[in-house]
Amino acid sequence: MILAFQLVSFTYIWITLIPNVCAASRIRMTHQRCSSSMKQTWNSKQETRMKKDDSTKVRPQKYEQLLHIEDNDFAMRPGFGEGSPVPVGIDVHVESIDSISETNMDFTMTFYLRHYWKDERLSFPSTANKSMTFDHRLIRKIWVPDIFFVHSKRSFIHDTTMENIMLRVHPDGNVLLSLRITVSAMCFMDFSRFPLDTQNCSLELESYAYNEDDLMLYWKHGNKSLNTEEHMSLSQFFIEDFSASSGLAFYSSTGWYNRLFINFVLRRHIFFFVLQTYFPAILMVMLSWVSFWIDRRAVPARVSLGITTVLTMSTIITAVSASMPQVSYLKAVDVYLWVSSFFVFLSVIEYAAVNYLTTVEERKQFKKTGKISRMYNIDAVQAMAFDGCYHDSEIDMDQTSLSLNSEDFMRRKSIRSPSTDSTRIKRRKSLGGHVGRIILENNHVIDTYSRILFPVVYILFNLFYWGVYV
């Protein structure tokens, strides 16, 4: 019995435990397989990531190795120690001439400056013979020419949106460096013919550190190395010519240097100055001649006209001088304005002479006859000086005398007959019909000659002036 009971218990335990053990073993095997597959996937991803990182790390090193930047000392120029200077070609494309300043005697120019040279240290193998292009970041790691602008005041490289610098390296070591630059430089101007002048300006390029034994600077394509925009113009100048030239510059402490010149010729527009300077000056001179046709006894009219023209000429001269540099020689516009001012001043002096001689003649007439002729009547002279009008008769003088002595005028008016009033009206009509004759008869001989002499001399001066300067 006992044996049978043990057999039944063993059978029951076997039936209940065996399936659980098998399930547990299956779960354990599945877990092991999943963990091993996850480890394999993670390991493969890590290997892929490391390969990418290795490739990115190797890429810049590859360019540095191709250009041999770390293997060479680029503080030294190419070919140092070989006994020959490094040739550097220059090519310029002028984009615009921004401004010309006469006051500061300078100009501002924007252009593309290109350098060409060969540095075998930068050569690299290339099956397709393709060049590599870089921006400004590589320039600090290699040797580049140290070109500067002689007589420059201000200059800068454009940096919108990045610095406008391009570096192109060819497999054989040829290098192209292109810059976009704006430069303000001196222009030694000659204003002796201003504003009928032509100015010759130049921008000079030179190496700062390397003399002709170390660096040979030359125009890359000869005269064709200098190019300009087709429609380039200025407000006050015609651009007549652009040319390229070269030369040598000597410094006592460092020796001879190659120098390149960008030459351009500017011819000034004259129409602006004709309207603003010459035409007003001509009008003022002609206006001063009007005083020759005004009666010599009209002192206020002739004096005020002369002073006005003189002051106006002074204003024109001051305005022109304010916009020009303070040079120590006469300019063409100075000659014209000062001669015109001299003509205006002479018209004032002419009337002073006429007035003085008229007074002398009146005194001589008074000494000879004891009275003054009606032409030089004292009352007429006083009336003319007072109101600037000519009075031909005693009746007309009575009206003007009202301003000088009202009581005397009222007394005369009370005893005047109707026939006298009618005579006055007739004489007024006669005066109105013969104004030209009266003015001519009462003019001084100096006024008569001045009406012809002043215009003739001024016309001759204009013919000579424009013939010489134009």
Side-chain angles (χ1 to χ4, degrees):
M1 288 295 291
I2 296 172
L3 181 61
F5 179 77
Q6 291 179 348
L7 181 60
V8 172
S9 299
F10 179 77
T11 303
Y12 175 77
I13 293 171
W14 177 264
I15 293 172
T16 55
L17 292 180
I18 288 300
N20 293 332
V21 171
C22 291
S25 64
R26 288 193 189 99
I27 292 172
R28 190 179 296 111
M29 291 176 64
T30 303
H31 178 72
Q32 290 176 354
R33 289 176 183 174
C34 290
S35 62
S36 63
S37 63
M38 290 178 63
K39 287 182 179 179
Q40 290 177 358
T41 304
W42 184 81
N43 291 333
S44 62
K45 289 183 179 180
Q46 286 293 106
E47 290 177 358
T48 304
R49 191 177 301 165
M50 290 179 64
K51 288 180 180 179
K52 290 183 178 179
D53 293 341
D54 292 341
S55 62
T56 55
K57 291 180 180 179
V58 169
R59 190 172 184 84
Q61 294 178 359
K62 185 177 180 181
Y63 280 109
E64 292 180 357
Q65 291 175 357
L66 280 174
L67 298 177
H68 308 285
I69 293 177
E70 295 181 350
D71 299 335
N72 295 281
D73 184 9
F74 283 95
M76 309 297 294
R77 66 172 180 84
F80 179 77
E82 297 179 1
S84 60
V86 54
V88 176
I90 297 295
D91 186 2
V92 173
H93 181 86
V94 179
E95 181 179 320
S96 64
I97 298 178
D98 303 322
S99 64
I100 305 291
S101 175
E102 291 88 357
T103 305
N104 300 323
M105 297 183 69
D106 62 12
F107 64 91
T108 302
M109 179 188 294
T110 300
F111 57 93
Y112 299 91
L113 177 62
R114 303 184 182 98
H115 310 71
Y116 301 86
W117 75 95
K118 185 173 184 180
D119 193 344
E120 295 182 352
R121 297 173 295 182
L122 297 175
S123 60
F124 60 92
S126 176
T127 56
N129 197 27
K130 292 184 177 180
S131 61
M132 292 188 294
T133 302
F134 304 93
D135 58 12
H136 63 281
R137 288 171 287 189
L138 186 61
I139 293 180
R140 299 176 182 177
K141 299 180 180 181
I142 65 173
W143 182 90
V144 294
D146 58 339
I147 303 300
F148 82 104
F149 304 100
V150 185
H151 307 305
S152 66
K153 295 181 177 180
R154 297 171 300 276
S155 61
F156 63 91
I157 299 175
H158 290 259
D159 56 0
T160 305
T161 55
M162 294 287 290
E163 289 191 27
N164 297 169
I165 300 176
M166 183 200 72
L167 182 68
R168 182 171 294 169
V169 182
H170 295 270
D172 58 354
N174 284 310
V175 183
L176 165 63
L177 173 62
S178 179
L179 313 171
R180 184 168 178 258
I181 305 176
T182 294
V183 178
S184 296
M186 288 287 296
C187 179
F188 300 99
M189 301 181 182
D190 181 14
F191 296 109
S192 59
R193 300 177 65 89
F194 176 87
L196 307 168
D197 56 334
T198 299
Q199 301 296 340
N200 298 303
C201 299
S202 64
L203 182 63
E204 304 173 10
L205 293 78
E206 184 180 312
S207 173
Y208 189 82
Y210 301 99
N211 58 22
E212 64 173 352
D213 297 330
D214 294 321
L215 189 144
M216 182 180 67
L217 203 62
Y218 68 99
W219 289 111
K220 177 67 174 178
H221 306 291
N223 293 331
K224 297 181 179 179
S225 300
L226 181 60
N227 301 303
T228 61
E229 295 288 338
E230 294 182 359
H231 304 288
M232 188 168 58
S233 61
L234 296 171
S235 59
Q236 289 192 21
F237 293 92
F238 291 107
I239 303 176
E240 290 192 337
D241 184 35
F242 260 103
S243 61
S245 61
S246 59
L248 292 173
F250 177 74
Y251 301 93
S252 59
S253 58
T254 54
W256 292 90
Y257 290 78
N258 294 114
R259 181 176 293 184
L260 303 182
F261 300 87
I262 302 174
N263 307 307
F264 55 97
V265 180
L266 304 173
R267 181 166 58 87
R268 195 182 304 274
H269 293 285
I270 184 61
F271 188 69
F272 172 80
F273 295 94
V274 170
L275 293 180
Q276 298 294 324
T277 303
Y278 287 97
F279 190 65
I282 292 173
L283 288 181
M284 288 301 104
V285 174
M286 295 177 66
L287 185 62
S288 68
W289 299 340
V290 176
S291 65
F292 303 150
W293 298 89
I294 299 176
D295 194 282
R296 54 180 165 167
R297 289 168 292 181
V299 178
R302 295 189 66 164
V303 170
S304 61
L305 180 62
I307 293 176
T308 301
T309 52
V310 169
L311 293 178
T312 304
M313 286 302 304
S314 300
T315 303
I316 295 174
I317 294 174
T318 303
V320 173
S321 300
S323 62
M324 295 297 298
Q326 305 300 318
V327 295
S328 59
Y329 51 84
L330 279 176
K331 303 181 288 292
V333 69
D334 293 335
V335 174
Y336 194 90
L337 292 180
W338 281 107
V339 171
S340 299
S341 299
F342 183 68
F343 273 89
V344 172
F345 179 73
L346 283 182
S347 68
V348 178
I349 299 300
E350 185 269 350
Y351 177 64
V354 168
N355 187 271
Y356 174 75
L357 293 177
T358 300
T359 304
V360 171
E361 290 178 5
E362 290 174 355
R363 291 175 180 174
K364 289 182 179 179
Q365 185 72 16
F366 181 77
K367 288 180 180 180
K368 287 182 180 180
T369 62
K371 63 179 181 179
I372 300 178
S373 64
R374 200 170 64 149
M375 178 178 176
Y376 301 111
N377 189 277
I378 294 297
D379 293 335
V381 174
Q382 291 177 349
M384 180 64 70
F386 180 76
D387 62 3
C389 299
Y390 176 74
H391 303 271
D392 185 52
S393 64
E394 294 179 359
I395 297 173
D396 294 330
M397 282 302 302
D398 289 341
Q399 286 187 339
T400 306
S401 299
L402 176 63
S403 301
L404 302 175
N405 192 344
S406 58
E407 294 180 357
D408 183 60
F409 177 75
M410 294 300 294
R411 186 177 65 255
R412 291 183 183 183
K413 186 176 180 181
S414 63
I415 62 175
R416 185 176 295 146
S417 63
S419 60
T420 306
D421 294 336
S422 62
T423 304
R424 182 184 64 183
I425 295 173
K426 291 180 180 180
R427 291 192 178 185
R428 278 187 177 179
K429 292 182 178 179
S430 176
L431 178 64
H434 301 283
V435 172
R437 180 181 58 80
I438 293 171
I439 293 176
L440 291 175
E441 288 178 356
N442 290 277
N443 274 331
H444 197 277
V445 66
I446 297 180
D447 280 341
T448 303
Y449 283 110
S450 296
R451 294 170 186 172
I452 301 174
L453 187 62
F454 271 69
V456 170
V457 175
Y458 192 68
I459 290 173
L460 292 177
F461 162 72
N462 275 272
L463 293 175
F464 176 78
Y465 178 88
W466 295 105
V468 169
Y469 286 103
V470 176

